[in-house]
Amino acid sequence: MNTERPEVLYHYTTMNALCNMLNGVTDRGDGQTPDYRFRIWVSCADYMNDPLEGVFFRKCLHEAFLRYQSAHDLPDKSGYMPFAFTALNLNRQTFYAFSLSEHADSLPMWVAYGNNGQGVAIGFDTEEFARAAAEYPYCHFLKMAYRTGGEFAEMFSDEDMARAYEAIRPREDGGCSVCYADYDFLHDKYSHVKNRYYAAEREWRLVFDDRSDLPKQFRERNGLILPYYEIELPLKVIRHFVIGPCTNQALSRSALESMLYHKAREFRKNERKVLLSEVPYVLR
């Protein structure tokens, strides 16, 4: 997998989310040199659009576990895997993520994430974004890998599976105990591998562990209460904006440029460009 970082990554979102983001801009400067900051929401992965993401991971891990046992002619411990998943909280998505795409102007991305073309794509300077996010503990910046079930199962090495196998310790009463430390290696794979059907998104993720020291917050979305973390980033991480194809593009560009100018004077016109989508798409 090529993990070379592109110069710009894009977060597709709604105009409402963009307004909330920019209305929260604050100046952390010393009164002479401005330091404009804004906040993004890093949301619980339980609420992401792939409902089988965690199921896919557990299925592939179980397949790798069975292969390891068979290859090494070991006593069967696979029946304890559901207990291990529960004990390790792997039955839920134990991470929080902010998703970005390599696509600057993609019709599928507009439809799925940009309010059916009526939203906006925020272009982040990749290196500035990664550097600013790295100041937070328990944070990782990852490129997503896309695999079939068999391919994913092969990503677990013999060493990985030996640790997983030995960590499950059956008891005489029919239960088992699980050594948590020996399963830490799973969480990286858990948060950056998806089913190959999502490969066209070319996703990167800013991922926070659930153990983050940040205060957990909650908001409503589509009738659900959604947990999230709020993190603050310097405004300079934003390179430009792309207005969606189904908006009134002229009015949207003018309003966004005005909003940027009034919220942070470092956003002069032409310094942070507001671009227009070139996708030929209309709502009927």
Side-chain angles (χ1 to χ4, degrees):
M1 178 180 66
N2 179 16
T3 57
E4 182 178 347
R5 292 176 177 177
E7 186 176 345
V8 181
L9 287 168
Y10 295 86
H11 179 70
Y12 287 76
T13 190
T14 65
M15 286 294 185
N16 181 59
L18 176 66
C19 286
N20 287 334
M21 189 182 295
L22 295 179
N23 278 327
V25 168
T26 55
D27 183 1
R28 303 293 193 197
D30 56 12
Q32 296 182 339
T33 304
D35 178 17
Y36 293 106
R37 301 272 172 157
F38 71 105
R39 296 178 180 87
I40 62 172
W41 292 344
V42 184
S43 300
C44 178
D46 281 331
Y47 299 81
M48 300 184 94
N49 65 322
D50 179 2
L52 298 180
E53 188 167 334
V55 174
F56 178 64
F57 170 84
R58 293 189 293 274
K59 179 181 177 181
C60 294
L61 177 59
H62 192 262
E63 181 178 339
F65 196 91
L66 291 174
R67 288 182 184 179
Y68 175 79
Q69 283 186 159
S70 177
H72 296 275
D73 196 24
L74 295 169
D76 183 21
K77 293 184 181 179
S78 61
Y80 297 106
M81 293 296 283
F83 174 85
F85 291 150
T86 300
L88 298 165
N89 203 25
L90 291 176
N91 282 323
R92 297 181 61 80
Q93 309 282 58
T94 53
F95 63 91
Y96 288 66
F98 182 80
S99 296
L100 304 113
S101 172
E102 295 179 7
H103 294 297
D105 190 16
S106 161
L107 178 56
M109 296 299 291
W110 285 122
V111 172
Y113 305 104
N115 196 23
N116 203 20
Q118 299 176 90
V120 62
I122 306 169
F124 290 95
D125 183 297
T126 305
E127 292 305 320
E128 293 280 2
F129 180 85
R131 188 178 301 114
E135 297 179 7
Y136 289 89
Y138 305 114
C139 173
H140 312 279
F141 189 47
L142 308 166
K143 180 176 182 176
M144 298 302 293
Y146 301 94
R147 301 284 187 270
T148 63
E151 291 169 342
F152 191 5
E154 291 174 0
M155 290 179 64
F156 297 103
S157 67
D158 257 20
E159 182 182 356
D160 287 340
M161 289 298 94
R163 291 167 62 191
Y165 183 86
E166 294 301 327
I168 294 178
R169 297 163 186 174
R171 299 193 305 260
E172 291 184 1
D173 63 3
C176 74
S177 60
V178 181
C179 181
Y180 297 92
D182 286 335
Y183 272 80
D184 282 347
F185 75 94
L186 295 177
H187 289 277
D188 179 49
K189 291 182 174 67
Y190 194 39
S191 58
H192 88 279
V193 179
K194 292 184 72 171
N195 194 299
R196 63 182 175 84
Y197 294 114
Y198 287 85
E201 294 183 355
R202 297 170 67 178
E203 181 185 357
W204 290 66
R205 278 182 183 171
L206 181 65
V207 175
F208 283 78
D209 293 351
D210 196 28
R211 58 187 170 179
S212 173
D213 296 330
L214 294 169
K216 193 172 292 185
Q217 303 191 53
F218 301 87
R219 60 189 173 94
E220 184 275 339
R221 188 182 70 183
N222 298 329
L224 293 172
I225 297 176
L226 173 62
Y228 68 97
Y229 294 132
E230 187 175 75
I231 69 168
E232 190 175 81
L233 299 172
L235 205 53
K236 66 182 180 180
V237 304
I238 297 178
R239 179 77 67 88
H240 53 243
F241 303 84
V242 183
I243 301 293
C246 297
T247 64
N248 183 320
Q249 290 188 321
L251 283 178
S252 294
R253 170 188 262 171
S254 176
L256 179 53
E257 288 178 338
S258 177
M259 186 179 190
L260 294 171
Y261 180 86
H262 285 91
K263 290 296 178 181
R265 293 306 175 98
E266 72 173 35
F267 266 90
R268 303 288 181 176
K269 289 183 180 179
N270 300 323
E271 282 188 358
R272 296 292 194 272
K273 293 181 180 179
V274 179
L275 310 177
L276 304 181
S277 169
E278 298 180 356
V279 172
Y281 179 59
V282 294
L283 298 177
R284 300 294 190 190

